[in-house]
Amino acid sequence: MTSATARQQTWSATSYDKHARFVSDLAGAVVEWLAPRAGERILDLGCGDGALTEKLAATGAEVVGIDASEDLLGRARSRGLNVHHADGHALTFRSEFDAVFSNAALHWMTEPDKVIAGVARALKSPGRFVGEFGGHGNVAAIVTAMRVTAQRRGGNEALAGPWFFPSPEVYADLLAAHGFDVRRIGNFPRPTPLKTGMVEWLKLFRKPFFEQYGDAQEEVLAEVEDLLRPVLCDARGNWTADYVRLRFEAVKA
Ligand code: BEZ
């Protein structure tokens, strides 16, 4: 969770639990792709509050989690998990994992060459890298609404979308450049219901963009919400985020 702009993002485990539980709840398919086995040693890259790490560990695998947020790691530790504070761009593990797994974290790491190089070092041979994160076009309407608002009001438009959302072609090439054999990879839309609404999503996931407006934050949040209502809110007031996921499985020979 680093990069010039993404680095400013901070997390509250309590807010995450309340407004973003869908992140781990919707990860069943990528866990199936991983197919963890008892006795395997697995690195959960960007483990967050450990909700999925716990599920992986329940299969009998020995799971180590890393994340950049101390608050989320605190929640993971309270689940009894083996987790550490680390930057995904600078992994220091050497040939010790059967698999590296990542859900909804790689888009926060905006220097993917460094991340993939670290994953390759961390894996045994053979070893698998399985993950899911934001793909090309992810949250496009949401980012556009923030950009438009920044253009109208002034402010740092780049704070609207600091993430790495590659197409499958781009990510497959990156994996291959680091010696991975890409077994399967694809992008797919996953419209995601936001049970607690758009404003809570914006406050949780794009805090630095709104913080730049100081006392006018609530007003700016309302402006972005108004722009999005016609496209992401139904007639009953239910909000859906325009998520696109990229899922992949790659093997280090
Ligand atoms: C995602 O999981 O796709 C995501 C999370 C936070 C911000 C943007 C996208």
Side-chain angles (χ1 to χ4, degrees):
M1 296 184 189
T2 53
S3 89
T5 48
R7 194 174 281 129
Q8 298 159 23
Q9 176 73 26
T10 54
W11 299 99
S12 142
T14 306
S15 299
Y16 199 86
D17 196 33
K18 202 163 163 195
H19 304 297
R21 198 65 283 150
F22 62 84
V23 174
S24 50
D25 287 350
L26 297 177
V30 68
V31 173
E32 273 179 33
W33 280 31
L34 174 69
R37 292 185 288 269
E40 280 191 322
R41 202 165 144 73
I42 298 176
L43 175 66
D44 185 355
L45 172 53
C47 64
D49 67 6
L52 269 185
T53 324
E54 193 170 42
K55 287 190 180 153
L56 302 184
T59 65
E62 185 191 334
V63 188
V64 175
I66 64 144
D67 203 273
S69 162
E70 278 297 354
D71 208 59
L72 295 179
L73 285 169
R75 188 60 58 92
R77 286 191 189 103
S78 74
R79 299 178 195 265
L81 297 165
N82 177 12
V83 296
H84 307 275
H85 186 264
D87 178 353
H89 294 93
L91 296 176
T92 54
F93 305 102
R94 292 283 183 279
S95 308
E96 52 183 288
F97 293 102
D98 299 291
V100 174
F101 171 81
S102 187
N103 180 58
L106 293 169
H107 45 246
W108 292 101
M109 303 170 204
T110 54
E111 296 175 85
D113 268 313
K114 289 185 184 170
V115 177
I116 298 169
V119 170
R121 285 193 304 270
L123 283 170
K124 298 175 188 170
S125 292
R128 56 202 199 282
F129 182 22
V130 177
E132 183 170 317
F133 63 111
H136 187 66
N138 194 33
V139 293
I142 299 176
V143 171
T144 304
M146 284 188 276
R147 294 189 86 97
V148 167
T149 304
Q151 284 170 10
R152 284 175 177 170
R153 293 181 166 259
N156 185 352
E157 198 178 322
L159 288 176
W163 305 288
F164 171 61
F165 294 149
S167 64
E169 295 76 16
V170 165
Y171 203 62
D173 283 352
L174 282 168
L175 289 166
H178 289 276
F180 282 96
D181 176 15
V182 181
R183 295 284 163 88
R184 38 188 175 164
I185 189 164
N187 255 12
F188 59 95
R190 194 203 63 197
T192 301
L194 302 180
K195 289 191 184 140
T196 58
M198 180 54 68
V199 165
E200 296 300 342
W201 189 96
L202 293 168
K203 287 205 283 205
L204 184 65
F205 287 109
R206 203 70 297 258
K207 208 170 171 180
F209 176 81
F210 295 96
E211 278 176 350
Q212 70 178 317
Y213 294 105
D215 289 347
Q217 263 182 79
E218 294 299 323
E219 204 183 298
V220 178
L221 277 161
E223 189 172 329
V224 173
E225 187 190 34
D226 280 350
L227 280 166
L228 289 169
R229 188 170 286 103
V231 285
L232 296 181
C233 187
D234 75 8
R236 294 186 174 171
N238 298 310
W239 285 91
T240 301
D242 53 338
Y243 274 38
V244 174
R245 310 321 279 166
L246 171 65
R247 190 182 299 150
F248 66 92
E249 177 188 3
V251 174
K252 175 186 159 183

